[in-house]
Amino acid sequence: MSEWNETEFGQIGNVVSGGTPSTSIPEYWNGEILFVTPYDLSRNKTAYLDNTDRKITNAGLKSSSANLLPPGSIIISSRAPIGYIAIGNKAFTTNQGCKSITPYSDFDSLYLYYCFNYYVERIKRLGAGSTFAEISKGDLELVKFPHPDDKNAQIKIASILSLVDVCIEKTQSAIDKYKAIKQGMLHDLFTRGIDITTGKLRP
């Protein structure tokens, strides 16, 4: 049986903040590097983030305080609003509204994704600011999260939760399909009606 511990965020992996290239210099934008913002996280519906609304160039990356994070790194929106979470499926960078963590080899990214989502209120409680809530890198690094010491146990937990997510997605797809069918039926039934002798729609 794997032992469990609580580890501070800053000891789970390398935590970095984001940055934004100058928006007045066209050469910094419309490149191929994913540029993650809280807006992108808010629209993402799965554990993994594959694309972003805007992208930057290598020149834009070098000109700013943004950091290029490897695939498998976890992104958390740290303001406007706090608490959206995803795993980068490709190399990415973020703006100042996000914090990212590249987990050390002892930690599984997908396990951490589910763990952070479950304990998201711990993250949200750190928010402070006169204009809007925001989490600092230093505060985030001190938050503790539980985990099995055995990485294989982390992977097993994540795989079970991932399977449930797949079932939810399939169920939601079926619900959406039947909602569309119902909408079509409503239109036909209320505009054409039923022939009570044949049980079919009227012409």
Side-chain angles (χ1 to χ4, degrees):
M1 180 180 292
S2 176
E3 295 294 326
W4 281 69
N5 277 303
E6 280 202 343
T7 300
E8 291 179 352
F9 198 90
Q11 296 177 334
I12 289 173
N14 184 38
V15 182
V16 299
S17 300
T20 302
S22 173
T23 56
S24 63
I25 301 178
E27 290 78 11
Y28 292 168
W29 297 91
N30 300 315
E32 297 184 353
I33 301 172
L34 300 186
F35 183 68
V36 185
T37 68
Y39 172 73
D40 295 303
L41 295 176
S42 72
R43 296 195 307 165
N44 193 58
K45 302 305 180 184
T46 67
Y48 293 94
L49 182 71
D50 292 295
N51 203 5
T52 54
D53 189 53
R54 304 184 73 187
K55 297 179 178 65
I56 63 172
T57 63
N58 281 315
L61 176 65
K62 293 175 181 178
S63 74
S64 71
S65 58
N67 296 276
L68 187 64
L69 284 300
S73 299
I74 301 165
I75 318 147
I76 298 176
S77 62
S78 54
R79 71 183 189 196
I82 295 169
Y84 289 123
I85 302 168
I87 303 170
N89 219 14
K90 304 174 183 176
F92 67 90
T93 187
T94 79
N95 74 349
Q96 299 93 321
C98 301
K99 302 291 186 290
S100 303
I101 179 168
T102 303
Y104 296 137
S105 59
D106 292 340
F107 296 94
D108 176 67
S109 292
L110 191 56
Y111 170 82
L112 293 177
Y113 165 80
Y114 285 115
C115 183
F116 295 164
N117 267 287
Y118 184 73
Y119 290 101
V120 70
E121 292 304 320
R122 291 189 182 184
I123 299 173
K124 289 182 177 179
R125 282 197 293 269
L126 296 174
S130 56
T131 306
F132 50 79
E134 183 172 8
I135 303 171
S136 72
K137 176 176 177 289
D139 285 342
L140 186 59
E141 287 176 330
L142 296 178
V143 182
K144 291 185 177 181
F145 294 98
H147 62 87
D149 290 337
D150 187 346
K151 186 175 181 179
N152 288 326
Q154 298 175 26
I155 293 171
K156 182 64 175 178
I157 291 170
S159 67
I160 293 170
L161 294 172
S162 181
L163 181 59
V164 173
D165 272 347
V166 170
C167 293
I168 291 172
E169 184 177 350
K170 288 181 178 179
T171 302
Q172 187 60 55
S173 295
I175 291 171
D176 292 341
K177 174 184 176 182
Y178 284 108
K179 280 184 177 179
I181 291 172
K182 179 185 175 183
Q183 197 62 36
M185 292 173 66
L186 285 169
H187 178 269
D188 288 339
L189 290 169
F190 287 123
T191 58
R192 295 170 60 186
I194 286 284
D195 186 328
I196 59 173
T197 59
T198 65
K200 297 181 180 179
L201 291 168
R202 296 169 59 197

